[in-house]
Amino acid sequence: MQKLSFVIGATATGKTYFIEHHFADKRAVVLNVYDYQQRAYDEAGCDDWITFDMQFRCLKRANEMHLHDIIAELKKGNDVVAEQTFFKAKRRIAYIDEIRKAVDVEIEIFVMCPGDDRWADNIKKRELDDDLKSFKAQAQRDIEFPNPAEGFDAIYEVVDEDIILRMDEEKPEIVDQARKELAEEAVRITKEEEERRKRQELLDSMNTRPFWHYCEVCGRKEFLTAEDAHNAGWDYPPNIGVFGLLSPRTCGDCNMQQTLWWKVNQQSIPLVMTGELTEKERETWERIKNEPESLLDDNE
Ligand SMILES: [Zn+2]
C-alpha cells in the first residue's frame, strides 16, 4: 500500500529541511503547498496588494490543487510527501475525507515542534521579520495538534533530531465539529460566489442597458445607454471612471471644476468628509457610492 506523509508546522520550523533529509532515501513525490499558493496568487493576478477575501480564495484554490495532485500521485501508485501548514483540524479532515474516498492509503503526519534554539536559528537564517516569541505565540494560539480521530494511522512529533510517536486519546467530537464547520463554510462560500456572480452580471449589463445619468453640476438627468451618453459628451462610468468610486459625473455642457471630485482633490487629504458637504454634494456622494444600483430607478 502506498503511503502519504504530511509534514506540518508553523513558519521556520524546518519542514522543508526535514523532508529533504528524512525522505532522502525514499522514492516519494514531494508536493509543497507553498508552490500551489504561489500559482493561485499568480492565476488571480495578485501582486503586493491583496484583500482578505481574495487571499482566502487563493489559499482555498491552492489547497484544492494540492489535494488534487496528491490524489493523482497516489492513484499512480506513488508515495507522497505533502508539506502543509494545516493548523486547523478541519483543514486536515477536508483532505483526509477526499483522499480516503479516492484511494486506499496509509496516512501519517509529522508535526514540527523544534526546540527554541533550533527554531530561533531557522528564523535568523531566513531573515524573517518576526521573532521566535511571536511565531511561538501564533503557533500556540492557532495550531490544533492532530488527533487520531481525524483519520491518521500515525502521528509524530518532530523535536529536533527526535521523531516521537504521539497518539493522543481519540476525540471524535473534533471530527464532528470540523465537519459541521466545513459544511457551514461551504454554504457561505456558495452564497458569496452567487453574490459575486450577480454583481458581475449587473456590471456587465451596464455596458448595454440604458440607465440614469445625473449631471452633478447642472442637475440634468437623462436615461441613456453608456454609448449614447459618451457620444453626447457625458463623463460617466463605465466609459469614464468606475462605478462606486469618486470621479466627475457631468453632462456634455458642464465642466469638472464644479464637481465633488474636484472639491475633494483641492483638500490637503483627498477624502470625502461628509460633514463638510452641501446638501447637493451629499446627494451626489450617496448616489456615486451606491452605483450602479442607484442609477437604475428614477429616484425622484
Ligand atoms: Zn450639466
Side-chain angles (χ1 to χ4, degrees), residues 214-221 234 249-255:
Y214 295 84
C215 177
E216 59 174 298
V217 179
C218 69
R220 188 160 128 197
K221 55 179 249 194
W234 284 81
R249 304 286 189 269
T250 52
C251 74
D253 298 331
C254 293
N255 63 48

Side-chain angles (χ1 to χ4, degrees), residues 216-236:
E216 59 174 298
V217 179
C218 69
R220 188 160 128 197
K221 55 179 249 194
E222 285 182 45
F223 196 64
L224 301 168
T225 63
E227 194 187 351
D228 288 344
H230 191 64
N231 291 337
W234 284 81
D235 273 5
Y236 231 88

Side-chain angles (χ1 to χ4, degrees), residues 234-286:
W234 284 81
D235 273 5
Y236 231 88
N239 284 316
I240 297 179
V242 175
F243 288 121
L245 298 182
L246 186 63
S247 63
R249 304 286 189 269
T250 52
C251 74
D253 298 331
C254 293
N255 63 48
M256 63 172 76
Q257 275 92 336
Q258 285 164 283
T259 63
L260 176 59
W261 172 81
W262 184 271
K263 175 180 171 168
V264 167
N265 278 282
Q266 303 310 303
Q267 297 166 183
S268 53
I269 304 163
L271 279 179
V272 179
M273 317 273 197
T274 39
E276 290 169 25
L277 301 184
T278 64
E279 183 65 23
K280 193 175 147 201
E281 287 165 345
R282 210 187 324 260
E283 230 176 71
T284 297
W285 178 229
E286 279 304 310

Side-chain angles (χ1 to χ4, degrees), residues 1 15 37 42 45 88 98 105 115-116 128 135 144-145 163 177 209-210 216 271:
M1 198 193 300
K15 297 186 285 294
Q37 289 172 1
D42 290 345
K88 301 285 176 201
E98 291 304 311
V105 60
D116 285 359
L128 297 170
F135 280 121
E144 297 165 356
F145 196 86
I163 298 172
Q177 179 63 25
R209 76 197 286 171
E216 59 174 298
L271 279 179

